[in-house]
Amino acid sequence: MKKIVFLHIPKTAGQSVHSDLSRIYGKLRTSPIRVHHQAGQNQQFPSGFDLYSGHLDWHHPTQFGENVFSFTNLREPYERIASFYFYLLEKAHHASESILSSPEHTGLRRVKNWTLDDYFFGGDVAWQNFIKDHYDNFYCRYMATGRVRGAIQTAGISKDALIERAINRARTLTRIYQLSNLNYLEEDIYTLTGHKVFIQDTRVNAGPKAIRRTRWQDLMALTNDETTQTRLESFAMTDVAFIKRLGDERLLI
């Protein structure tokens, strides 16, 4: 079977994709590196495996080797931001106090105890870097830099320049799928592996099944401060323009 690299962006059905692919390829053929901080940037794709899947840093597809099917999934930007926030909030509410008090779970403690405004726009420089890395136009920063935490590297770059960098690197991937059209991914996996998967209708960590409003509307309902709402909207605006460019250039399936 062909070597596959799946660049998993949080809250884009990645757990479901990884679950199916790892089942097909098996443990011995699946790289154990699932998160970028598990290895140095030059060791994100250790040799000897046929499936690489996770929140991974990538310099350029040449580091994947030859004859590789590389892809990622994109969700509507506003919905991804809100879904990620509510995912962490739910996780925090189920965590014990001992876990929440530990330094490595500062993010969970803050998402549970801080107001929406404090969580997104308060804290020190290190915390704001965390917020920018994970929420602020993540698609563009990730594509432009190849880093999960790419906010510092893209600080000061104009919107147009950031989009252009992101587009140029996006062109080097084999496929970029929309979360609403993962049936195309299912078809490609069948072509590549001979195995049928059912990702579109079966997702891991999908969140509540019955949502009357969008996740973004739920997020906006947590504050009446128009300034906070406007600042949060700016976290998706560049990504919205990026996705439009991907569509215009037929890079998005």
Side-chain angles (χ1 to χ4, degrees), residues 196-240:
K196 289 187 177 181
V197 296
F198 303 95
I199 301 167
Q200 185 69 48
D201 298 321
T202 306
R203 298 180 190 172
V204 180
N205 291 338
K209 298 298 182 182
I211 302 175
R212 296 178 182 176
R213 301 181 298 185
T214 66
R215 294 277 77 187
W216 181 255
Q217 289 173 322
D218 289 338
L219 185 66
M220 291 294 95
L222 296 180
T223 178
N224 293 319
D225 190 318
E226 293 184 1
T227 300
T228 296
Q229 292 175 341
T230 300
R231 293 177 73 183
L232 281 172
E233 287 172 356
S234 71
F235 280 4
M237 294 175 66
T238 304
D239 277 351
V240 168

Side-chain angles (χ1 to χ4, degrees), residues 63 81 83 149 201:
Q63 75 187 110
I81 290 171
S83 180
R149 303 200 66 170
D201 298 321

Side-chain angles (χ1 to χ4, degrees), residues 60-247:
H60 193 274
T62 54
Q63 75 187 110
F64 303 157
E66 298 180 356
N67 194 31
V68 174
F69 186 89
S70 57
F71 73 97
T72 192
N73 300 334
L74 299 184
R75 182 178 189 170
E76 196 282 325
Y78 290 102
E79 286 298 286
R80 193 206 74 86
I81 290 171
S83 180
F84 190 42
Y85 174 83
F86 284 117
Y87 165 74
L88 294 178
L89 185 62
E90 183 178 8
K91 187 175 180 180
H93 279 298
H94 286 88
S96 65
E97 286 304 317
S98 61
I99 290 176
L100 293 176
S101 62
S102 62
E104 61 266 31
H105 291 104
T106 296
L108 292 182
R109 183 170 65 254
R110 289 180 175 177
V111 77
K112 179 179 180 180
N113 297 323
W114 284 13
T115 66
L116 192 72
D117 186 73
D118 287 340
Y119 176 78
F120 281 105
F121 306 111
D124 57 16
V125 172
W127 177 251
Q128 277 305 300
N129 285 337
F130 171 87
I131 292 296
K132 291 175 182 177
D133 281 330
H134 292 83
Y135 292 99
D136 189 357
N137 294 290
F138 180 88
Y139 298 156
C140 277
R141 299 187 192 279
Y142 185 47
M143 286 292 171
T145 65
R147 294 173 179 264
V148 174
R149 303 200 66 170
I152 292 177
Q153 288 75 20
T154 54
I157 299 176
S158 70
K159 173 183 176 180
D160 290 343
L162 182 60
I163 292 173
E164 201 62 38
R165 289 189 189 185
I167 288 289
N168 287 336
R169 286 173 58 87
R171 291 191 183 107
T172 65
L173 296 178
T174 310
R175 293 277 195 276
I176 301 176
Y177 301 96
Q178 299 181 75
L179 194 64
S180 57
N181 290 328
L182 291 184
N183 54 297
Y184 292 115
L185 173 58
E186 294 174 351
E187 293 171 2
D188 283 339
I189 290 175
Y190 179 72
T191 300
L192 291 167
T193 70
H195 292 264
K196 289 187 177 181
V197 296
F198 303 95
I199 301 167
Q200 185 69 48
D201 298 321
T202 306
R203 298 180 190 172
V204 180
N205 291 338
K209 298 298 182 182
I211 302 175
R212 296 178 182 176
R213 301 181 298 185
T214 66
R215 294 277 77 187
W216 181 255
Q217 289 173 322
D218 289 338
L219 185 66
M220 291 294 95
L222 296 180
T223 178
N224 293 319
D225 190 318
E226 293 184 1
T227 300
T228 296
Q229 292 175 341
T230 300
R231 293 177 73 183
L232 281 172
E233 287 172 356
S234 71
F235 280 4
M237 294 175 66
T238 304
D239 277 351
V240 168
F242 169 62
I243 287 179
K244 184 179 185 305
R245 274 284 303 276
L246 288 175

